[in-house]
Amino acid sequence: MIEELFSTPLYVSQLDNFEEIKTQLGDILPDIGFTSGNHYLTDPTFREDLLFKHNLYKLRKEIDRHIREYCKHLNYDGGEYEIKSWLAMYQKGQYAHVHEHGHYDIAGVVYFQTNGDDGDIFFTSANPFLKVSKIFQNLPSQSWTHKPIPGKILLFPGWLSHGVRTNETDHTRISFSFNVLFK
């Protein structure tokens, strides 16, 4: 499913074999180290590919299928790409500030562990001029929120500004994030 977001295509879907992927991720989770900050990351440099490093072939295959579907909607035939991936963990009081993923073609997230109330992802308008117009400055479309749901995958342009609201629950939220750069 595609939702038009500020005339920017946001891909929203669900992983087909999430229970198998959840097991595969759960098996490696005890062996992965996280660094701290506003939230915990497995790779704060964003240079590694957790999919390759831990042979997460089921998740890799599923992500590839969704990337191809997103590209099909964009009338882009795809081709080879490089992927960087990591896990993000949000405990009570943690959040992700508004940011974008620079020069990457696609940014994505898969929700691994969530209760649905432990930190929504939000996107801010790619149009900076909405706020300078009296008739558009109060539109609810200045930002768009998505609730985390286990197995949900979101794909969006790497340049789209986004963040994660503060986890105000005692539940630990874990998501699998990635960047895609076509060759």
Side-chain angles (χ1 to χ4, degrees):
M1 174 170 95
I2 298 291
E3 293 179 1
E4 295 299 332
L5 176 64
F6 317 122
S7 298
T8 303
L10 173 68
Y11 179 92
V12 182
S13 192
Q14 196 75 17
L15 300 184
D16 285 342
N17 56 350
F18 178 63
E19 288 306 316
E20 291 176 38
I21 290 168
K22 184 177 173 182
T23 299
Q24 194 177 48
L25 275 170
D27 288 346
I28 68 161
L29 203 55
D31 300 327
I32 294 179
F34 286 86
T35 61
S36 64
N38 295 339
H39 58 282
Y40 298 101
L41 297 169
T42 56
D43 177 21
T45 68
F46 308 109
R47 293 186 191 135
E48 292 183 356
D49 177 8
L50 201 66
L51 292 166
F52 177 77
K53 185 176 180 179
H54 292 280
N55 194 26
L56 299 172
Y57 60 92
K58 291 178 184 177
L59 180 56
R60 174 71 168 101
K61 184 177 179 182
E62 190 71 3
I63 287 173
D64 181 70
R65 184 176 70 79
H66 289 281
I67 288 171
R68 301 292 176 198
E69 189 64 33
Y70 184 49
C71 288
K72 183 176 161 184
H73 172 77
L74 299 172
N75 296 315
Y76 180 69
D77 62 3
E80 289 187 44
Y81 59 85
E82 170 186 310
I83 192 165
K84 303 296 181 190
S85 59
W86 62 95
L87 285 169
M89 182 169 57
Y90 299 81
Q91 294 180 332
K92 188 171 189 170
Q94 295 183 318
Y95 62 93
H97 58 83
V98 176
H99 63 285
E100 64 282 323
H101 293 229
H103 68 283
Y104 286 97
D105 296 306
I106 298 172
V109 62
V110 173
Y111 296 102
F112 170 60
Q113 178 179 297
T114 178
N115 66 8
D117 295 320
D118 45 16
D120 294 351
I121 189 171
F122 65 93
F123 300 92
T124 60
S125 174
N127 183 348
F129 300 104
L130 284 176
K131 57 187 161 204
V132 299
S133 170
K134 287 185 175 144
I135 63 172
F136 292 109
Q137 67 184 352
N138 294 321
L139 287 178
S141 61
Q142 293 289 320
S143 74
W144 191 271
T145 301
H146 263 274
K147 284 208 156 299
I149 298 169
K152 182 182 196 177
I153 183 171
L154 299 175
L155 302 175
F156 49 93
W159 48 259
L160 185 61
S161 294
H162 59 285
V164 176
R165 304 247 187 253
T166 303
N167 181 355
E168 297 178 356
T169 73
D170 291 325
H171 187 266
T172 298
R173 174 185 173 293
I174 299 176
S175 55
F176 185 90
S177 299
F178 54 95
N179 289 328
V180 174
L181 185 63
F182 284 92
K183 295 180 181 185

